[in-house]
Amino acid sequence: MTDAPLLDVENLWVKFRTRTGVFDAVRGISFTLGKERLGIVGESGSGKSMTGRAVLRLIRPPGLIEADRLAVHGEDILSLPDKRMRQLRGGRVSMIMQDPKFSLNPVMTVGQQLIEALCAHEKVSRSEARKRTLDMLDEVAIRDPKRVYDLYPHEVSGGMGQRIMIAMMLLPNPEILIADEPTSALDVSVQLQVLDIIDTLVRDRGMGLMFISHDLNLVAKFCDRIVIMYAGRIVETCKASELRNAQHPYTQGLLNAVPDLEHPRDHLEVLKRDPAWRDAPSVSARI
Amino acid sequence: MSTSQGLRAWLLSEEPTSRQQARYASWYKGWLTLRSNTLAMLGLFVLAFLILGAIFAPLLATHDPFAQDLGQRLLAPGENGHFFGTDSLGRDIYSRLLYGARISLYIVLLVVMVAPVVGLIVGTVSGYAGGWIDVLLMRITDIFLAFPRLILALAFVAALGAGIENAVLAISLTAWPPYARIARAETLTIRNSDYIHAIKLQGAGPFRIVTRHIWPLCISSLVIRVTLDMAGIILTAAGLGFLGLGAQPPSPEWGAMISEGRKYILDYWWVATIPGIAIFAISLAFNLIGDGLRDVLDPKEDNA
Amino acid sequence: MNAITVKALNVWFGTGAQKSYAVRDVNFNVADGESFGLVGESGSGKSTILRAMAGLVPTWSGEMSVAGETLGPRRSKAFYSKVQMVFQDPYASLHPRQTVDRVLSEAMNLHDVPNINQRIASLLDDVGLGPGFRFRYPHQLSGGQRQRVAIARALACNPSILLLDEPTSALDVSVQAEILNLLVDLRREHKLTYIMVSHDLGVVSHLCERIGVMKNGSFEEVLSVEAMRRFDTKSAYTQHLLESSINSIR
């Protein structure tokens, strides 16, 4: 079996032109995504979200994307016409955003939005669409799909809203799911539930998951492979199970900075940022 | 050259060392933003041109704006040394235009000193106090808003008598309600923000909060609105002049000049058109500046 | 001596049929110099308690006494020199048009603090910002630096009690560590009493000795940090929260 990666990125740059010059949000990173769960971790401003958006070509001017290679299933994204790109987006590649409050349309019922998402990518009859939508809602552990189907977004809780978003994104059977901080707006207990759902669905369907988060511990528990970004570059990449042996001082600093319930410390370790990290070349996360 | 370089660096310093430096620096950065907006600079240029014309009217004018010469009446532009021709009484339109700029700018200045200030006070008090004070003040505002501006101004002028000062008063009285509305809307969003809570928790009273913390944030949107409204104010003043209720003849107010030229508009187009172009130019200039100021004063934070 | 006593506190929003209780029958004491944590999920009413105490929510009933003063519908000026608050979002809690200097001097002017100039310099030093930050505007500062300014503002009039409303939840972990360390140091230096609201058990356990777990507006239980670390809890809800929060891989 040839194991060509679902997503292949080489030397990706995201640049923004400002009055004072060109600002590089992502600076020449390379990675691949197979049928696995890839965690992308970094602090705010590290370029992790920009990477996710760049893959879907969702960067608006004055931002621009440059790459030696940016391919989904061998199809070069940068040269695709807009129409084909729209098919790809939400069809073969889906994205879950941070806050369901802003990603669901407040004046349409949950059901209408789900059906719309499905019909945008496939020709299906209404009854078929409805059936698949209800099945999908059931799959994301919504207890009473028929009732939720007719609710408006403001009538559902944050956790349920996020599950609805997941359902919506998975309806067209994408091959790649990009989840940008999908649980940061949720309470801890709901967080785990939502992660479980994503996990099960991704495994069952054999999708590739790109999980973007600031929470190193969460990603370590949830993903197979981790990419750590700093100032638009990849500073380290490793298997999630080997994270505790991480070498880079930035990764270690992030791990040590988290206050830990079980192991109290008088003082938390403070990250000392070395300017050399910025200039060090990006580590490739290609397999 | 080196001193101007030093000054620039001082102004753009990331770490200002005194209150003054921080203030000058923020002004300078605002100026840089405004300067990068070509249209706003065009507006500023036109306005500066008009202001200079008004100030130096006695030097620039070729004729006495009030001197009538019936032998020279209704001359076309350029004839006999009259740049823009003469009106029905043989007065030089170019000179009248220069002196008229003084009147127009004077009216604008007076209105600007009254209307936004009244609006700011009413709006912020209403928005911050809430409750019955809000209801009362806003209903009064609604009553003023419900009348068409020119009609209300007409009524005031009719009651107070014709003349520039009364025209200004009438325009101010009709112009403040939109400012009150804007100031109130701004106040409603600001009053629930954490920084107002924080200053409240320092023990600041309502007067201090409104004047020192809410006003500075409202003023920027009011200034923008004022510059956009300047055109309307000039037009209302011109309209009152046109109806014979503003500046009285022989005063060279632009609206009054159009009014006089109206009778000859078919045969002698320049008599009404030239003051019309002047009104258009100043209105456009203010609008362009207003647009530019919006970018400068908008308190949204530019983290980019 | 108790710095804070709260008895039978109810807080509600709306009137008539719309009336809904955000906090129901809450009782707790905080001793002088203690650090008390309030934990719960969003909507559990933990921040509302803080806001009612600070006087930002007028609709409450029950008894509250803070720093020896029994609270009524209005707060005295002296109250505000003893109790100060740090807000969650450092991007929203600083006036966008005021320099750091102005923010701090305004706070001190209100309380007639002498030698404002020196005091501002020493305050900035206290919160780990150099003199270079004094005349900057908020948009010239990072999130962590803004939160330091907000803490300096809260300390400006030498309060004895700080109300901390999720002071680090909007910050990156590395910056969160800096702010938490700062809060620990300040408490030691100035003998402060803290009430800290957070959804993160790790953060609360780092800073607080006793923790009140809230659910739907009332206390599920109050327990010490040691008990929490031992998982010694009677409430199933606390147990559930604890299990969800153990996610460190170290």
Side-chain angles (χ1 to χ4, degrees), chain A residues 130 134 137 142-151:
Chain A
R130 186 180 153 87
L134 288 173
L137 284 175
I142 283 175
R143 249 168 280 146
D144 190 355
K146 289 218 170 84
R147 189 180 66 87
V148 174
Y149 188 89
D150 290 318
L151 292 181

Side-chain angles (χ1 to χ4, degrees), chain A residues 14 26 40 42-55 58-59 95 98 178-181 210 212-213 229:
Chain A
V14 177
V26 177
I40 298 192
E43 296 188 286
S44 49
S46 61
K48 57 185 192 305
S49 289
M50 285 300 162
T51 307
R53 288 167 170 272
V55 168
L58 282 174
I59 309 253
M95 187 162 184
Q98 181 169 356
I178 300 173
D180 189 359
E181 306 256 5
M210 198 166 139
I212 301 169
S213 173
M229 286 187 72

Side-chain angles (χ1 to χ4, degrees), chain C residues 201-218:
Chain C
L201 283 176
V203 169
V204 169
S205 68
H206 182 72
L207 204 65
C208 303
E209 287 106 45
R210 273 192 317 137
I211 291 162
V213 180
M214 290 195 72
K215 189 189 177 187
N216 296 334
S218 43

Side-chain angles (χ1 to χ4, degrees), chain C residues 59-72:
Chain C
T59 49
W60 58 275
S61 67
E63 263 178 63
M64 284 197 280
S65 111
V66 176
E69 187 178 320
T70 306
L71 301 183

Side-chain angles (χ1 to χ4, degrees), chain A residues 43-44 187 189 261 268 273, chain C residues 41-42 172 174 181 229 240:
Chain A
E43 296 188 286
S44 49
D187 284 320
S189 54
L261 184 64
L268 297 169
R273 286 154 212 273
Chain C
E41 308 208 312
S42 50
D172 280 322
S174 61
N181 284 343
R229 292 208 176 104
H240 172 64

Side-chain angles (χ1 to χ4, degrees), chain B residues 144-204:
Chain B
F144 275 90
L145 266 179
F147 281 101
R149 195 188 233 194
L150 194 61
I151 307 278
L152 193 61
L154 267 177
F156 276 116
V157 173
L160 298 169
I164 293 181
E165 279 77 15
N166 286 340
V168 167
L169 204 61
I171 295 170
S172 308
L173 279 170
T174 57
W176 68 269
Y179 300 119
R181 276 297 181 83
I182 293 173
R184 177 173 175 271
E186 290 267 323
T187 310
L188 286 180
T189 54
I190 297 167
R191 66 179 266 200
N192 283 324
S193 61
D194 279 349
Y195 52 85
I196 296 298
H197 285 155
I199 193 66
K200 218 190 262 176
L201 291 186
Q202 304 283 356

